Amino acid sequence: MRRLKKLFHGSLFVATVSLASFACAQSPDAHDHHHHMEMAPESGRTMIGVYNLPNVELVREDGKTVSLLKELNDGRPVILNFIYTTCTTVCPVTSQTFSLLQTALASEKNKVHLVSISIDPEQDTPARLQQYAKKFGAGSAWNHYTGSVEASIAAQRAFDVYRGDKMNHSPVTLLRAEPGRPWLRIDGFPTVADLLNQYHNLVVVN
């Protein structure tokens, strides 16, 4: 009997590993398989963090050069992510979530600053960002930013999302109630309901 149990558990372990390996091999985003195995698409790991923001200039989708610090510290709550326009895996999902979040925010949508920063600034010109923003129905409170490679990397490093290659990026969403407050970091793919709840919790607490 003990031997049968041992064989059963051994077979179950092999089957589980084989299934996980198969799932990763079938994933269109195989380079990010570790992430996808750790959490379901609708969930995310959250933590509170304090980030030292760099004093760099970025270029908004309207072509205006702006200070990252001023854009993030204009008094509004901020919900931020990193994207690039030619991404076919992570970014369309996170951008669609932002798009739906605008609707879910209802009368509050113009009071919350949604920020998407390109990790591929050499390709993502302001004009391309405008097209991308239009594709996802970005409203006036949702801005997209590009700029120099150095400025983009500085922003990525500041929020600990820099991975050296855009193909290795992972979904990260950051929320902050107001300037001077800590950031809530969500690693993974939160649902619109998740983001809305986290936003309301932050605003109420702060």
Side-chain angles (χ1 to χ4, degrees):
M1 187 68 178
R2 184 176 298 175
R3 185 180 178 186
L4 286 174
K5 286 183 178 180
K6 187 174 182 181
L7 286 172
F8 172 76
H9 287 301
S11 299
L12 181 60
F13 173 77
V14 171
T16 303
V17 171
S18 299
L19 182 60
S21 299
F22 174 78
C24 291
Q26 298 302 311
S27 171
D29 194 14
H31 66 271
D32 202 27
H33 67 274
H34 178 70
H35 165 79
H36 291 298
M37 288 175 64
E38 280 188 338
M39 61 189 69
E42 69 276 8
S43 64
R45 180 171 60 92
T46 63
M47 66 181 74
I48 298 293
V50 177
Y51 299 99
N52 294 317
L53 304 184
N55 186 19
V56 296
E57 290 186 334
L58 297 178
V59 181
R60 212 163 48 201
E61 78 277 349
D62 59 5
K64 183 177 180 180
T65 299
V66 295
S67 162
L68 174 62
L69 288 175
K70 289 183 179 179
E71 291 291 288
L72 298 184
N73 293 332
D74 66 1
R76 290 179 291 176
V78 174
I79 304 178
L80 179 150
N81 67 9
F82 290 85
I83 56 94
Y84 65 101
T85 61
T86 56
C87 175
T88 58
T89 54
V90 171
C91 306
V93 176
T94 56
S95 293
Q96 182 63 19
T97 299
F98 268 33
S99 179
L100 295 173
L101 180 62
Q102 292 180 123
T103 302
L105 284 166
S107 61
E108 296 178 78
K109 68 179 182 179
N110 291 324
K111 300 176 183 177
V112 183
H113 194 188
L114 301 184
V115 173
S116 293
I117 300 175
S118 173
I119 62 172
D120 186 19
E122 291 182 304
Q123 298 296 322
D124 289 341
T125 62
R128 181 168 287 185
L129 286 180
Q130 278 189 334
Q131 294 175 352
Y132 186 85
K134 184 177 180 180
K135 175 181 176 181
F136 288 98
S140 59
W142 181 8
N143 292 120
H144 292 70
Y145 301 84
T146 185
S148 68
V149 172
E150 293 76 16
S152 175
I153 290 177
Q156 294 174 62
R157 287 189 186 279
F159 286 105
D160 192 25
V161 299
Y162 182 64
R163 300 295 178 262
D165 186 326
K166 65 183 181 182
M167 299 303 293
N168 293 327
H169 77 297
S170 299
V172 175
T173 308
L174 299 119
L175 301 85
R176 190 187 62 186
E178 60 185 28
R181 304 299 300 180
W183 292 83
L184 175 69
R185 177 190 180 103
I186 305 175
D187 288 276
F189 294 95
T191 64
V192 175
D194 290 335
L195 280 182
L196 193 62
N197 287 336
Q198 296 286 10
Y199 160 72
H200 283 142
N201 287 339
L202 282 178
V203 171
V204 168
V205 169
N206 291 279

